[in-house]
Amino acid sequence: MNSTFEIAVFEGDGIGPEITAPTVALLNHLAGKAGGYDLRFVTLPAGAGHYARTGESLPAESLRQAAQADAILLSAMGLPDVRYPDGTEISPQIELRIAFDLFAGVRPVRVRPGQPGPLTLPEGREIDFVLVRESTEGLFHSMGKGEVTRDEARETLRITRDVSEKLFRFAFDLAATRKQAGRGPGRVTCVDKANVFRAFAFFRGIFDEIAQDYPDLTADHAYVDATALWMVQKPWEFDVLVTENMFGDILSDLGAGLMGGLGLAPSADIGLRQAVFQPCHGSAPDIAGQGAANPHAMILSAALMLDWLGIRHENAEMRADGRRLREAVEAVVARGDSLTRDLGGTAGTAAAAEAVQRALDGAPA
Ligand code: ATP
């Protein structure tokens, strides 16, 4: 009998619904073909548009259903002119991260040989690494609670043993899975500033302790400033990078830049029970409603979701479908004839997604 997985879907704001529809269609297409699993989608209300209509940004019932789902697929939420009375933006995606303790922010960075991008890769080189950003503490700990007087402002960086241990185990397990799949040498690099801050020496100390449990993998360290340099000079040498929240926030945008922009950058926020899969970009209100949004970051996030579910439930078909979906997007981007405007092409959202479907079916372009 097939296993059925329930996917909570937040269509979100701006371009959100436009990129969600083709992504869900591709997932249904894959599940229908594979036969080894079924997907059931439950669309849940939340976001800035919902807040403007109802005064609620993330209804308790949406949170409850998301908590029970097998995975959460989210497009993008927030609109610049819809705000809470204190002036801050509506960001249910951050509330989900906190509510479900999604400590591991997974930001894969992948550029295939020949794929256009800001770097010219040496012959035979490709970029394929994963940045794991701690997502619940670090310098974001005092988010919204910083102390500000006329003469001084303070924010607090907090690093705990409990979260760091879970984070590092996650990073080593990821490196092991990648190594098994032939996608990396099995190396985890702890990115910190341990030469200056005691909190980062503490972070690094815990990393070294956890590394002892993974004798088959390589553990090394790098300072965050040097990492920024190397991400531009020799990004093909990285495998799994693991770092604090603020450093990860900055480096993940650098990673998106290496891929040629936000339109190709997927992400996952993973905890011990739940996980949210969403593109790195926002709701892009400037192009909403035009059918011009690039769906690829969202489709790649859905591919990560299939891979995560497949590993978690030991379902080889789901893992294979996750890989096929990622490779189909990569093939379409490499071919370059169905690109959306942000990547220099003229295709609309539907045409870009159809090209992925054709690549999946092995049909001619
Ligand atoms: P947030 O703060 O919510 O992450 P942001 O202010 O960084 O959002 P985005 O909504 O990500 O901004 O948009 C930044 C720019 O990138 C905009 O010009 C937008 O049109 C463009 N953009 C973002 N996502 C896409 C996409 N999927 N396809 C095409 N263009 C995009």
Side-chain angles (χ1 to χ4, degrees), residues 98 101-103 133-146 154-164 167 191 199-200 202-203 243-249:
I98 294 163
D101 248 333
L102 307 178
F103 56 86
R133 163 192 175 183
E134 196 291 313
S135 300
T136 57
E137 51 181 31
L139 194 53
F140 282 66
H141 166 68
S142 61
M143 190 172 62
K145 298 179 295 215
R154 286 171 189 242
E155 300 280 349
T156 305
L157 178 140
R158 179 173 193 248
I159 289 175
T160 64
R161 170 171 290 276
D162 177 46
V163 170
S164 302
L167 177 78
V191 178
F200 282 110
F202 173 77
F203 188 66
T243 193
E244 178 270 341
N245 206 342
M246 184 63 150
F247 290 164
D249 186 32

Side-chain angles (χ1 to χ4, degrees), residues 15 19 77-78 89 93 262-263 280-287 292-295 297 340 342:
I15 60 170
I19 56 175
M77 295 201 213
E89 282 196 34
Q93 60 275 32
L262 284 169
C280 286
H281 60 71
S283 63
D286 53 331
I287 58 162
N294 184 348
T340 42
D342 56 308

Side-chain angles (χ1 to χ4, degrees), residues 237-263:
E237 291 198 355
F238 292 126
D239 184 3
V240 174
L241 302 175
V242 61
T243 193
E244 178 270 341
N245 206 342
M246 184 63 150
F247 290 164
D249 186 32
I250 298 166
L251 292 181
S252 58
D253 266 31
L254 178 51
L258 292 177
M259 288 189 279
L262 284 169

Side-chain angles (χ1 to χ4, degrees), residues 43-284:
T43 302
L44 302 174
H50 190 73
Y51 177 78
R53 284 191 299 278
T54 66
E56 259 191 321
S57 56
L58 179 59
E61 180 56 17
S62 294
L63 190 64
R64 193 190 66 75
Q65 290 199 46
Q68 285 177 353
D70 292 296
I72 301 162
L73 187 62
L74 191 153
S75 55
M77 295 201 213
L79 291 170
D81 46 2
V82 180
R83 302 205 175 220
Y84 292 119
D86 69 0
T88 57
E89 282 196 34
I90 315 297
S91 314
Q93 60 275 32
I94 298 181
E95 290 171 55
L96 289 173
R97 225 177 267 169
I98 294 163
F100 297 154
D101 248 333
L102 307 178
F103 56 86
V106 177
R107 310 283 185 268
V109 179
R110 184 154 163 83
V111 180
R112 296 209 332 178
Q115 180 181 327
L119 295 185
T120 308
L121 299 179
E123 189 65 30
R125 296 284 196 190
E126 63 173 0
I127 303 176
D128 185 4
F129 68 87
V130 182
L131 182 73
V132 181
R133 163 192 175 183
E134 196 291 313
S135 300
T136 57
E137 51 181 31
L139 194 53
F140 282 66
H141 166 68
S142 61
M143 190 172 62
K145 298 179 295 215
E147 297 164 34
V148 182
T149 66
R150 194 184 77 91
D151 300 315
E152 192 177 317
R154 286 171 189 242
E155 300 280 349
T156 305
L157 178 140
R158 179 173 193 248
I159 289 175
T160 64
R161 170 171 290 276
D162 177 46
V163 170
S164 302
E165 285 182 353
K166 288 189 289 196
L167 177 78
F168 295 138
R169 287 197 192 287
F170 179 90
F172 281 106
D173 288 341
L174 176 64
T177 308
R178 280 169 55 86
K179 187 177 176 184
Q180 244 172 22
R183 284 189 70 187
R187 187 173 57 243
V188 183
T189 306
C190 178
V191 178
D192 57 47
K193 195 73 183 167
N195 51 337
V196 176
F197 296 103
R198 293 178 68 189
F200 282 110
F202 173 77
F203 188 66
R204 183 181 282 209
I206 298 169
F207 173 82
D208 289 340
E209 282 171 29
I210 300 296
Q212 303 292 316
D213 294 342
Y214 296 86
D216 297 340
L217 301 175
T218 306
D220 65 8
H221 316 105
Y223 297 128
V224 64
D225 40 350
T227 303
L229 180 76
W230 293 334
M231 276 177 72
V232 174
Q233 287 189 336
K234 45 176 186 176
W236 46 85
E237 291 198 355
F238 292 126
D239 184 3
V240 174
L241 302 175
V242 61
T243 193
E244 178 270 341
N245 206 342
M246 184 63 150
F247 290 164
D249 186 32
I250 298 166
L251 292 181
S252 58
D253 266 31
L254 178 51
L258 292 177
M259 288 189 279
L262 284 169
L264 291 176
S267 84
D269 289 303
I270 298 179
L272 293 182
R273 275 182 302 279
Q274 288 93 4
V276 174
F277 298 84
Q278 67 172 120
C280 286
H281 60 71
S283 63

